[in-house]
Structures are given as structure tokens and as C-alpha cells.
Amino acid sequence: MVEELVTAGVALACTGTVYLMAAARVVKQYERGVVLRLGRLVSEVREPGFTMIVPIVDRLRKVNMQIVTMPVPAQEGITRDNVTVRVDAVVYFKVVDAADAVIRVEDYRFAVSQMAQTSLRSIIGKSELDDLLSNREKLNQGLELMMDSPAIGWGVTVDRVEIKDVSLPETMKRSMARQAEATRDRRARVINADAELQASKKLAEAAEAMSDQPAALQLRLLQTVVAVAAEKNSTLVLPFPVELLRFLERSGLQAQAQTEAAEAERGGGRRPAAPAAPRAPRTPVEHGAETALPELADLPPVEDLP
């Protein structure tokens, strides 16, 4: 009798152990447990921790409640301005209702992936190329709204959608590169023209200042010669500008005018000179001596001399 009781107790303990092992479940902190009892949903969702189910009758499905990062394959489409592009994106979503994620959709991950691809194609067709390249924030918000509306019925919420890369054809890349180069060239020319305008204004002011002092032009020329000759010892051929010649001409005329004015002042202040004394008549000796000298033409030739 005792042996039978011991055997029954051991069998009962083994059965209890097996049942406990079959019924015991552990739900992790980032998971929720959905129990289906004979195919019907049990209203209570199992929270994280240790839980028990009825073996064979209940089936527990664990749903991950973490944010899932899902890359969207590159989608090729034509933009509104007829440019063929390839765009890929990434979707961040999470499950907010474990029961709906299990009951309302067969595979919520696959459903979200397909919806992201179709939404991305739709956004490509509605947008222009410039928006895809520079205004991505607005497109990301549009993608999030397009995906969040149907996903909320699956117990899933889309946390964020980001467009990662936009691939353009090679011809379009070359065209955009030429456009950017032309834009930068235009900016450089405008800046250069503005600099030339400012320099011309400053030079005009300098020329006006030098015109008041003509000697400043010569000093500036000498300063330029010194600056050029200081860099390298070489022969310097410097043509004289017309302005310098005019300056020298004006300086000469002014000096001549000043000299004439000074002479005129000296001549006006000088007393009239006394008349010259009459010259004494020459003596006959002197006159005779003067007349006695023969001229060279009157001399006889050398051959006729004795």
C-alpha cells in the first residue's frame, strides 16, 4: 500500500512537473504575450514576467514592442518634371497594440514594408527633382502620413521615415555639374565686376586729388618705380605717360613766365642809361696805318716775288 502511494506520488509529481514545464512561459520586458485559446483571442494581454497558459489548449504569441528599423529597397520612378530617379529610404515603426498586430494582419512587418515601397513610389511621382534633393523634410513628413493612416489599424504606428539616397542618371549629374559651375562662374564675374567698379571709383578720387597737386603724379610714378625695382635687379623700361609730359610742359611754361615777369620787373625799376660819349676822331697816324695795310687780295703771287 505504501509502495503504491509512493509510486502514485512520484507519478503525480512527474506529471505536475511536466505540466508546469509545458504551461510556464516567460515574457520579456520589451514583449507582450497574446494568448489564443482554442483559436479565440483571450482579452487579457500577458505583461512582461512569468505567466502560465493551459498546455495544448492555449497558444502564446510574443510580440516585440521595440522600435523596428526597416530599410526600404530602392524604388525607381519618374518625377513630376520627367526625371528618372532611384530613391531608397528607411522606416522606423513600432507595435502599440499587440492584439491588433496579431489578429488584424497576417505579417505586420511585411505589410509595413510593402506599404513603404508603394508610398515611396507615390511620393516620387508627385514631387520634383529639386524637392527630392533639397526639401526632404517635407517629403519625409508626407511619407509618414501616408504610411501611418493604414498602419494604425494594424496596431502599428510609424515613428519616422527618412529618405536616404537619391540616385540620378549620369547625364543628369553632368548637367547639374555644368549648371553649378556656370552659377559659380557667374558669381565670380559679378564679384570681379563689383571690385572693378569700386576700384575705378577710388582711382577717380585719387586722380582728382592728384590733379590739384601735379607733383603728386611724379611722386607716385617714382614710388611705383621703386616698388618694381625692389623685387628683382633688372633693367626697367618705363614709358613716360602723356600726363607727365603735360605736367613738365606746364612746369616749363610757368617757369618761363615767371622769368619773364621777373625780368620785366627788373627792367621797369632800372633807370635809363646815359647816352654814350662821342668817340674821338682818329688821328692821321692811326688812319694812315689803317689805310696803309694792304689787303691779302692785293698781294702779288709767290712766283712773281724776286
Side-chain angles (χ1 to χ4, degrees):
M1 185 66 182
V2 177
E3 295 178 357
E4 293 177 358
L5 291 175
V6 172
T7 303
V10 172
L12 183 60
C14 292
T15 303
T17 303
V18 172
Y19 177 81
L20 183 63
M21 293 177 62
R25 294 291 187 274
V26 176
V27 180
K28 297 180 181 179
Q29 182 64 38
Y30 54 85
E31 295 177 340
R32 297 296 183 271
V34 179
V35 179
L36 298 175
R37 182 167 295 167
L38 297 176
R40 295 177 64 89
L41 176 66
V42 177
S43 60
E44 182 182 359
V45 176
R46 304 300 171 88
E47 295 296 328
F50 181 80
T51 185
M52 298 285 294
I53 62 173
V54 179
I56 303 174
V57 177
D58 293 344
R59 178 166 296 183
L60 179 66
R61 291 192 59 179
K62 299 178 183 180
V63 181
N64 193 337
M65 306 296 289
Q66 293 177 315
I67 295 178
V68 180
T69 303
M70 177 179 293
V72 181
Q75 302 296 313
E76 186 172 355
I78 301 176
T79 60
R80 193 165 59 181
D81 49 354
N82 298 325
V83 179
T84 303
V85 294
R86 288 177 60 87
V87 182
D88 57 349
V90 59
V91 182
Y92 302 90
F93 68 94
K94 64 179 179 179
V95 178
V96 294
D97 193 337
D100 290 342
V102 174
I103 301 301
R104 292 181 178 272
V105 63
E106 180 181 3
D107 187 352
Y108 66 89
R109 290 176 177 264
F110 181 74
V112 171
S113 176
Q114 295 300 314
M115 182 177 58
Q117 295 180 28
T118 55
S119 300
L120 185 58
R121 285 178 175 271
S122 178
I123 284 292
I124 292 173
K126 294 179 181 178
S127 305
E128 295 183 356
L129 180 61
D130 293 338
D131 295 333
L132 289 174
L133 297 176
S134 60
N135 195 12
R136 294 188 181 182
E137 292 294 334
K138 184 178 180 180
L139 299 179
N140 294 336
Q141 294 177 1
L143 273 173
E144 183 178 348
L145 291 175
M146 291 178 65
M147 296 178 59
D148 195 39
S149 298
I152 198 67
W154 305 336
V156 177
T157 180
V158 178
D159 186 69
R160 193 173 182 181
V161 182
E162 293 287 345
I163 295 176
K164 292 197 302 182
D165 188 22
V166 179
S167 300
L168 302 175
E170 293 297 329
T171 55
M172 182 58 64
K173 290 181 181 179
R174 289 194 294 268
S175 299
M176 295 179 67
R178 288 195 298 269
Q179 180 183 0
E181 184 178 358
T183 302
R184 292 183 179 276
D185 190 14
R186 178 179 61 84
R187 292 179 181 176
R189 291 185 179 182
V190 170
I191 293 173
N192 190 16
D194 190 11
E196 291 292 339
L197 177 60
Q198 295 180 5
S200 63
K201 292 181 179 180
K202 295 298 181 181
L203 289 175
E205 294 177 0
E208 184 178 358
M210 287 183 179
S211 63
D212 297 337
Q213 297 292 335
L217 181 62
Q218 186 176 5
L219 294 177
R220 182 59 181 168
L221 177 61
L222 295 176
Q223 184 179 3
T224 304
V225 172
V226 171
V228 173
E231 295 182 358
K232 191 177 294 186
N233 296 326
S234 59
T235 303
L236 180 64
V237 179
L238 182 66
F240 283 91
V242 179
E243 288 80 2
L244 181 59
L245 297 179
R246 291 178 180 175
F247 166 72
L248 296 176
E249 183 179 0
R250 287 197 301 267
S251 299
L253 292 177
Q254 291 178 359
Q256 184 179 0
Q258 292 176 359
T259 303
E260 292 178 355
E263 290 179 355
E265 291 179 357
R266 288 196 300 269
R270 183 182 302 174
R271 294 181 180 181
R279 187 174 181 182
R282 297 180 178 179
T283 59
V285 177
E286 293 178 355
H287 182 73
E290 183 178 3
T291 54
L293 293 175
E295 295 182 357
L296 295 177
D298 297 336
L299 295 176
V302 178
E303 293 81 359
D304 298 338
L305 293 177

